[in-house]
Amino acid sequence: MHQFLQYTIIGIPLAAVYAISATGLVVTYTISGIFNFAHGAIGMLAAFAYWQIHVGWGLPSWLAFILVVFVIAPLFGALIERLLIRGIEGASEVITIVVTTSLMIGLLGLANLVWPPGENRNVVGFFNDTKAISIFGVNVTVHRLIMVGVAVVVVGLLWLLLNRTRIGVAMRAVVDDRALLQLNGGRPGLVSMFSWALGSSLAAVAGILIAPTLNLQPITLTLMVVTAYAAAAIGRLRSLPWTFLGALILGLGESWLKGLIQTSWTIGSFQLDKLGSAFSPIVLLVAILFLPQPRLRSAGQQQQREHWKVPSMRTAVVGAVALLAVAVGVALLLNPTRQLLLVDGLFFALVSLSLVPLTGYAGQISLAQITFAGIGGVATAMIGAQFEPLNVIAAVAITAIFGALVALPALRLQGIYLALATAALAMLMYELVFLQDLIMPANSRQVPPLGVGDWLGVGEWSVSSSLAQIVVLAVAFGLCGIGLVKLRRGRWGRRLTAMKDSPVACATLGLSLTRTKVATFALSAGIAGLAGAIAGQTLTTDQLRFEANFPITVFAVVGGVGVVSGALIGGLMLGVLPVMNSVFATNAIGFFKVFEIPVSKLTAVLPGLMGVSLGRNPTGISPQIEAGFAPMLRSRVATIGSIIAIPIVWVLAYTEVIDGWTFLAVLATLLGLLPALAVLVSGTLASRRAAVTTILAVVGLAGAFVLPWATLSESSNAIRFCALVAYGVVVGIAATATAGLFEVPEELRPPSPDMIGITSPLGRTDAVEAERALGFREGELVGR
């Protein structure tokens, strides 16, 4: 009984912190309609800022607390709302989720950049020198009592804010009817900015209060505050009293399970001591599945800002063949160690491809794709040490069935609730399955390489080299990509896009949304499981952690989740990051010789920066690349020329006529010149402009060949890489500008003021614009 009372008293302060953090989530979501996945990262960053001000700079703890909670955190939250959140209003739920997830990844990278990991940083609790107070025989520190007291104060202040202040009334009005508030002279944008500032302050309070009980590590602090997701879900992201009740359930349940369950307790081979860590995702999943769900958007139609061109089957087949050729060509230029990095890139690309039918076609979000890949890999390893094609089919089938089972309870979920449900699944699988010794002995499991037994009497064969593994992954990606393009162009693809555009209309027309969602989840999980099944590498528990799912979703959407090429670009970008860390491991970028930042740490921030850019470009990178190379693709001569030129350069590199850095420089220059060369060979340029463009192209390529890239900066690979990329970009821009590709087409140019009213009807706006263009004051010629 004493132990139960002890863990109850320990759990109440923990519940208080969860309540404070979850309240900030609820406030920001109800006002802006955007769930802040970066809420935990904001709390983490605030805890580090508090440590820096108090411990690093020596300021008093009370002053550091005031500066962080009432100055830095609210300003940071307001800045996020103004620069980031306001730009994604009206975007799909997928974009809003990915943007805030990217912000979380970026903040984690920023914390590792400013405060390098590995150093011992401890935050001392408030009044740490004061003697602990005995409550029912349990010693409780003053800091833990402060945690409870702050939660009570937060409740009172929020009630006063929402019911007794003008800004509070405006916040409640935004929740009820945003448009009506604006019609009555209110400023919803200002109210939303205030709510994000308030939410960031509450996250900062939670981060600072929980920091003394943990090591000051970015991922640990972020995931601790992530536990508040479950409390917010119990409150249905709207009700503050229910949110506080959910936090109490979480704090007490987690404390009881972690404290009372012994490490030796098992059911068969199942270890029960993991239930304490899994309690939060269990509560989150139960809350989402069994509590009534509100409509995420009460009125109006959600704007679909993403659009992707549907490729032809010919394009899909050619792309698959080109992928295989490029993958093999690049692999032959790499040593075996670097080939493993390309294997990782193609693995991530195949996992990203699993999001194309689910997110790109059907508009459903998933934060558990790495988990599905882990299921496929573990299933393959447990089937047997000798891995044959039939085992691949079995592993994919197991993962697809698991995906279908996941879809069944989530059928009535969409948007943020579906994302939270899949996130809870990923956390559950990690805590209750992947950490089990039966599943992952010594926290790892070797996935056997793909092989074929002695069926034909010619001996056994297996994928025993990195090059063979690259071929297998490239072939698998190409075949899956062709299949998805075929699906998208057929009846099922049209059904998926219709469900994405309007599920209500689909149901009205008699389409079975249940069958469609279950089949799509099964297909998506099966593709991810295929990636894990043919990985042929050792899976570790660290690779299957809950947070490992976020970069996959972010990079898939950044690349362009609606097309196969977008998944390839996203996966390869995710695989490039370890390459950059390997190549630039000892390099740093200096700023005026004042300080230097290691390139490997800058790469940790890149995923976040790319993800938050989706507010302005929700379609992703792939359509932009396609548009940039459209002139070349329209020119048969330019296409054939590039097909001939690039292999020639590759042969020069393979035979070591040119070194690797020169090969990269020539390739970057060729890619930059392709749009201009396409226009040049078309014969549409004037003779003088064609001559200048030709000279620029020849000189640019010659420079890429003869410049000493390998000795440019022998101590810094980063400088060499940046220099050759900058060279290719400058040469490409110069040639493109000379070819006239940056000029506005005639049909897009604004009409001459002299022609207004002649070529088109004259309106009031046209008249005012004509006055301005002619130099008259507004209203001088046209009556007001």
Side-chain angles (χ1 to χ4, degrees):
M1 184 62 186
H2 178 73
Q3 275 191 324
F4 180 81
L5 184 61
Q6 177 184 356
Y7 290 118
T8 299
I9 294 176
I10 292 175
I12 291 176
L14 189 62
V17 173
Y18 290 160
I20 296 170
S21 179
T23 300
L25 274 173
V26 172
V27 168
T28 54
Y29 180 78
T30 53
I31 304 303
S32 64
I34 294 176
F35 188 87
N36 184 16
F37 275 92
H39 191 74
I42 293 173
M44 172 273 300
L45 206 62
F48 272 93
Y50 172 81
W51 177 89
Q52 184 65 51
I53 295 172
H54 175 45
V55 179
W57 296 340
L59 272 67
S61 59
W62 63 269
L63 181 58
F65 183 86
I66 291 175
L67 287 175
V68 173
V69 173
F70 296 103
V71 180
I72 298 175
L75 286 177
F76 186 66
L79 191 67
I80 291 174
E81 194 281 335
R82 183 64 184 86
L83 300 181
L84 185 60
I85 302 303
R86 198 168 296 186
I88 59 176
E89 289 183 356
S92 66
E93 289 278 2
V94 173
I95 297 299
T96 59
I97 290 170
V98 169
V99 167
T100 55
T101 300
S102 303
L103 179 61
M104 179 190 72
I105 296 174
L107 294 181
L108 284 170
L110 179 63
N112 287 321
L113 181 64
V114 179
W115 297 279
E119 299 181 12
N120 187 19
R121 301 182 184 90
N122 294 319
V123 176
V124 179
F126 295 108
F127 302 101
N128 190 58
D129 296 332
T130 305
K131 184 179 179 181
I133 300 173
S134 179
I135 301 177
F136 299 109
V138 179
N139 291 328
V140 182
T141 62
V142 175
H143 181 81
R144 290 186 177 273
L145 294 176
I146 290 176
M147 293 164 69
V148 179
V150 170
V152 174
V153 171
V154 167
V155 172
L157 291 179
L158 279 177
W159 186 88
L160 291 175
L161 174 68
L162 296 175
N163 295 277
R164 293 291 186 267
T165 64
R166 184 177 182 85
I167 186 67
V169 174
M171 291 170 68
R172 292 162 57 195
V174 169
V175 176
D176 293 336
D177 196 322
R178 188 183 187 96
L180 185 60
L181 173 65
Q182 194 167 10
L183 286 175
N184 283 275
R187 301 177 63 183
L190 184 62
V191 175
S192 179
M193 182 183 293
F194 177 79
S195 72
W196 276 81
L198 178 61
S200 297
S201 292
L202 292 173
V205 172
I208 294 172
L209 291 179
I210 200 67
T213 64
L214 302 169
N215 291 326
L216 202 59
Q217 298 295 332
I219 193 64
T220 304
L221 275 173
T222 300
L223 294 183
M224 175 60 70
V225 183
V226 162
T227 307
Y229 292 177
I234 290 177
R236 288 180 285 167
L237 303 180
R238 294 186 182 277
S239 172
L240 292 180
W242 279 99
T243 298
F244 272 81
L245 176 62
L248 184 62
I249 294 172
L250 281 173
L252 292 176
E254 188 174 315
S255 179
W256 289 335
L257 290 174
K258 286 185 176 180
L260 298 176
I261 295 180
Q262 304 297 320
T263 56
S264 59
W265 291 8
T266 60
I267 298 178
S269 299
F270 184 82
Q271 299 164 285
L272 295 178
D273 61 319
K274 306 297 189 296
L275 285 174
S277 301
F279 183 69
S280 171
I282 290 173
V283 173
L284 175 58
L285 196 59
V286 171
I288 291 175
L289 295 181
F290 292 99
L291 289 180
Q293 306 298 329
R295 293 181 61 188
L296 297 183
R297 296 185 183 271
S298 58
Q301 185 176 1
Q302 186 174 334
Q303 181 182 359
Q304 294 290 340
R305 295 165 54 188
E306 312 94 66
H307 55 279
W308 295 278
K309 181 181 177 182
V310 181
S312 64
M313 288 303 301
R314 178 183 177 184
T315 302
V317 173
V318 171
V321 174
L323 171 62
L324 178 60
V326 171
V328 173
V330 172
L332 290 174
L333 296 178
L334 302 176
N335 59 45
T337 302
R338 297 286 168 79
Q339 286 178 355
L340 291 176
L341 298 175
L342 182 56
V343 170
D344 291 339
L346 289 173
F347 166 77
F348 289 134
L350 190 54
V351 178
S352 300
L353 186 66
S354 66
L355 285 170
V356 171
L358 183 66
T359 303
Y361 297 167
Q364 308 296 309
I365 186 70
S366 172
L367 297 176
Q369 298 309 108
I370 282 290
T371 300
F372 290 134
I375 294 172
V378 170
T380 299
M382 297 185 73
I383 287 174
Q386 298 298 323
F387 189 31
E388 300 182 357
L390 290 179
N391 296 353
V392 177
I393 298 174
V396 171
I398 291 172
T399 313
I401 293 172
F402 188 84
L405 293 176
V406 169
L408 288 175
L411 286 175
R412 61 193 182 97
L413 302 179
Q414 58 181 341
I416 182 59
Y417 287 107
L418 182 58
L420 289 175
T422 54
L425 167 71
M427 287 189 280
L428 273 178
M429 288 296 299
Y430 174 73
E431 297 290 348
L432 293 183
V433 178
F434 295 138
L435 289 182
Q436 297 290 328
D437 292 337
L438 176 65
I439 304 298
M440 303 282 278
N443 293 325
S444 65
R445 173 71 78 167
Q446 174 63 46
V447 180
L450 179 64
V452 178
D454 191 11
W455 292 352
L456 303 178
V458 295
E460 296 182 355
W461 173 85
S462 64
V463 179
S464 57
S465 66
S466 300
L467 178 60
Q469 190 67 33
I470 290 170
V471 172
V472 169
L473 287 169
V475 170
F477 186 95
L479 294 177
C480 290
I482 292 173
L484 289 179
V485 171
K486 180 68 174 178
L487 181 145
R488 176 61 182 86
R489 297 183 65 86
R491 291 184 58 189
W492 193 263
R494 291 191 291 272
R495 175 180 292 188
L496 293 180
T497 54
M499 183 177 68
K500 176 182 178 181
D501 292 338
S502 179
V504 176
C506 289
T508 304
L509 293 173
L511 296 179
S512 175
L513 297 183
T514 299
R515 186 169 64 248
T516 304
K517 283 188 176 181
V518 170
T520 306
F521 262 94
L523 174 62
S524 176
I527 295 175
L530 174 64
I534 63 176
Q537 56 186 331
T538 301
L539 289 177
T540 65
T541 53
D542 286 340
Q543 293 174 315
L544 303 177
R545 294 179 67 91
F546 155 67
E547 62 270 18
N549 291 278
F550 288 129
I552 287 291
T553 304
V554 168
F555 274 92
V557 177
V558 167
V561 75
V563 286
V564 173
S565 58
L568 177 63
I569 292 171
L572 291 179
M573 284 194 301
L574 186 55
V576 161
L577 294 180
V579 176
M580 296 179 67
N581 291 336
S582 173
V583 175
F584 307 138
T586 59
N587 299 154
I589 295 179
F591 294 87
F592 305 105
K593 298 183 179 181
V594 177
F595 61 92
E596 290 186 338
I597 299 177
V599 176
S600 59
K601 292 184 178 180
L602 285 176
T603 59
V605 186
L606 285 179
L609 295 178
M610 287 191 281
V612 298
S613 67
L614 287 171
R616 298 186 178 276
N617 178 33
T619 308
I621 296 174
S622 179
Q624 290 184 320
I625 295 177
E626 181 182 357
F629 287 98
M632 185 207 70
L633 297 175
R634 288 194 295 265
S635 171
R636 180 173 298 179
V637 176
T639 303
I640 295 175
S642 62
I643 293 175
I644 296 174
I646 293 177
I648 290 175
V649 178
W650 177 87
V651 170
L652 294 176
Y654 184 72
T655 57
E656 298 183 354
V657 175
I658 59 176
D659 57 58
W661 290 104
T662 303
F663 171 73
L664 291 177
V666 173
L667 194 61
T669 306
L670 273 175
L671 292 176
L673 287 172
L674 281 179
L677 292 177
V679 178
L680 182 64
V681 299
S682 66
T684 58
L685 291 180
S687 58
R688 180 177 299 179
R689 178 169 287 191
V692 175
T693 303
T694 303
I695 293 173
L696 280 175
V698 172
V699 172
L701 281 173
F705 272 106
V706 301
L707 287 175
W709 302 105
T711 59
L712 180 63
S713 178
E714 296 182 358
S715 61
S716 176
N717 290 331
I719 293 178
R720 278 197 291 255
F721 182 77
C722 292
L724 66 88
V725 170
Y727 180 85
V729 170
V730 170
V731 172
I733 290 176
T736 302
T738 305
L741 293 179
F742 288 150
E743 297 180 2
V744 180
E746 185 70 30
E747 61 271 13
L748 298 180
R749 295 178 184 176
S752 169
D754 298 331
M755 301 302 294
I756 294 178
I758 299 176
T759 57
S760 60
L762 179 64
R764 167 77 184 182
T765 304
D766 296 324
V768 172
E769 292 296 329
E771 285 182 336
R772 292 175 181 170
L774 294 173
F776 293 98
R777 296 189 303 274
E778 185 176 346
E780 185 173 346
L781 296 181
V782 181
R784 293 185 178 274

